[in-house]
């Protein structure tokens, strides 16, 4: 019997209720207020053409300085095309603090030990997340190429539509009730990490008119304490937004930018399941991966 008067299966009712509750808890952020960046938008926001011209002019100046033998920074601070960096720039002098005191007040790594399932972002909900499944594997290394074992690595990312589950992300792309976008793992004795996830989509970020960030995954490496935390991003090869993105171009030299791009690795590709990318993280030395600096926050 079907229709509104049909008898109800209690198990089916419970499953439906659980599913609806899971979905509601995932998309409740749809109802939050507009992101603060929306209030900063104005009619005189620069165009992508203007931002690109500024990027090219700065790149040409860096090239001239390199040719003259000047030693420049690996990351350009006060980078004019990155408009919102003005809001992030420190306004007070840094203060020295006792590292042990910080550890007493810092948040914990988590409420529990790191479980193996936390490295698979596609298994955190009842259903399958939407998008292209990928596996990302690499090694955490020091400047001598030695593996760094037992290190906590966390990742977070947008979903396949380019949307974060975050109250400040309100652009009109769908949330995925089966994808939270966060995972973590502890490196093994060979310094290896391995994540299964969904390839993130690009997203708008209101730096200028029609500003889009290239697809990327955020990585956080903790070392042995919170005061040693390093944060970086992994990009995907061949992204057409590279030349247009001010954040990517705050790194003036192509060799340094290339260290942020994961390489497609067919041996890591899982048959009938996911595409594979390899990305090693070097924490120091001349071949170090670019990390966000403390004075950039």
């Amino acid at each position: 019997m079907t229709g509104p008067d049909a008898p109800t299966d209690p198990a089916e009712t419970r499953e439906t209720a659980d599913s609806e509750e899971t979905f509601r808890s995932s998309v409740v952020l749809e109802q939050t207020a507009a992101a603060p960046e929306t209030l900063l938008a104005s009619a005189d926001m620069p165009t992508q053409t203007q931002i690109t011209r500024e990027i090219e002019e700065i790149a040409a100046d860096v090239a001239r300085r390199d040719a003259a033998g000047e030693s420049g920074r690996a990351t350009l601070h006060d980078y004019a095309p990155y408009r919102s960096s003005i809001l992030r720039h420190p306004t007070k002098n840094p203060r020295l603090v006792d590292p042990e005191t910080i550890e007493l007040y810092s948040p914990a790594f988590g409420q529990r030990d790191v479980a193996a399932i936390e490295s698979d972002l596609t298994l955190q909900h009842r259903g399958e997340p939407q998008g292209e499944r990928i596996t990302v594997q690499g090694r955490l290394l020091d400047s001598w190429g030695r593996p760094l074992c037992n290190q906590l690595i966390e990742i977070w990312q947008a979903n396949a539509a380019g949307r974060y589950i975050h109250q400040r992300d309100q652009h009109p792309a769908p949330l995925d009730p089966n994808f939270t976008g966060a995972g973590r793992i502890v490196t093994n004795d060979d310094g290896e990490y391995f994540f299964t996830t969904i390839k993130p989509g690009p997203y708008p970020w209101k730096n200028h008119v029609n500003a889009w960030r290239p697809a990327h995954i955020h990585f956080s490496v903790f070392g042995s304490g919170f005061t040693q935390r390093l944060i970086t991003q992994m990009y995907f090869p061949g992204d057409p937004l590279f030349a247009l993105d001010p954040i990517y171009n705050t790194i003036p030299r192509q060799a340094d930018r290339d260290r942020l791009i994961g390489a497609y690795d067919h041996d890591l590709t899982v048959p009938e399941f996911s595409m594979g990318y390899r990305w090693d993280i070097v924490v120091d030395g001349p071949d170090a991966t670019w990390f966000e600096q403390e004075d950039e926050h």
Side-chain angles (χ1 to χ4, degrees):
M1 179 177 179
T2 60
D5 297 326
T8 301
D9 183 349
E12 182 178 345
T13 301
R14 286 196 301 273
E15 182 176 353
T16 301
D18 290 345
S19 299
E20 291 177 350
E21 179 62 31
T22 300
F23 182 79
R24 284 197 298 269
S25 66
S26 297
V27 300
V28 66
L29 297 176
E30 292 275 16
Q31 307 301 320
T32 58
E37 287 85 347
T38 303
L39 303 178
L40 300 176
S42 64
D44 60 350
M45 287 184 70
T47 63
Q48 180 66 66
T49 299
Q50 179 180 342
I51 291 294
T52 301
R53 182 168 58 249
E54 293 178 12
I55 290 173
E56 292 172 346
E57 290 172 352
I58 294 173
D61 181 64
V62 170
R64 285 193 297 269
R65 292 175 181 271
D66 283 347
E70 296 184 27
S71 178
R73 303 187 67 163
T75 304
L76 300 178
H77 295 184
D78 298 320
Y79 190 68
Y82 184 4
R83 293 293 197 266
S84 59
S85 63
I86 298 173
L87 303 177
R88 299 166 179 256
H89 202 279
T91 59
K92 297 179 176 61
N93 292 328
R95 298 176 59 185
L96 295 176
V97 295
D98 177 19
E100 293 186 1
T101 301
I102 290 178
E103 293 294 337
L104 295 176
Y105 295 96
S106 295
F109 286 132
Q111 297 179 345
R112 60 185 185 279
D113 292 339
V114 179
I117 196 174
E118 294 184 67
S119 63
D120 191 333
L121 283 65
T122 68
L123 297 178
Q124 297 174 349
H125 299 272
R126 291 187 176 186
E128 287 277 352
Q130 297 295 307
E132 175 189 340
R133 282 189 298 259
I134 62 172
T135 53
V136 181
Q137 181 175 342
R139 301 180 72 201
L140 185 64
L141 306 168
D142 66 12
S143 60
W144 296 91
R146 296 174 298 196
L148 299 175
C149 62
N150 299 319
Q151 301 295 301
L152 177 65
I153 296 181
E154 294 181 334
I155 65 171
W156 64 97
Q157 62 170 93
N159 65 20
R163 181 85 183 267
Y164 288 97
I165 298 182
H166 193 283
Q167 63 183 0
R168 294 187 65 183
D169 189 346
Q170 295 296 310
H171 88 277
L175 289 170
D176 187 338
N178 294 311
F179 189 75
T180 300
R184 59 181 186 161
I185 195 172
V186 174
T187 59
N188 63 19
D189 291 343
D190 293 322
E192 294 175 322
Y193 70 87
F194 185 95
F195 288 102
T196 301
T197 184
I198 297 296
K199 187 175 182 180
Y203 57 82
W205 63 298
K206 300 184 184 299
N207 180 74
H208 51 277
V209 177
N210 204 17
W212 290 79
R213 295 249 37 233
H216 59 277
I217 299 176
H218 297 269
F219 276 72
S220 169
V221 181
F222 273 102
S224 59
F226 282 96
T227 56
Q228 299 175 348
R229 189 186 187 198
L230 299 172
I231 299 175
T232 187
Q233 300 176 16
M234 188 202 87
Y235 297 95
F236 294 86
D239 197 308
L241 294 172
F242 284 154
L244 308 179
D245 182 48
I247 295 180
Y248 175 80
N249 285 283
T250 58
I251 306 169
R253 296 171 183 83
Q254 187 61 51
D256 294 333
R257 294 196 291 259
D258 288 343
R259 297 190 183 104
L260 296 179
I261 303 174
Y264 172 73
D265 190 329
H266 201 65
D267 290 336
L268 293 181
T269 297
V270 180
E272 313 297 328
F273 184 79
S274 67
M275 304 287 280
Y277 293 88
R278 180 173 297 280
W279 190 57
D280 292 340
I281 304 172
V282 182
V283 299
D284 58 6
D287 296 326
T289 304
W290 174 86
F291 294 97
E292 297 177 9
Q293 303 301 310
E294 290 185 3
D295 53 4
E296 293 177 357
H297 295 278

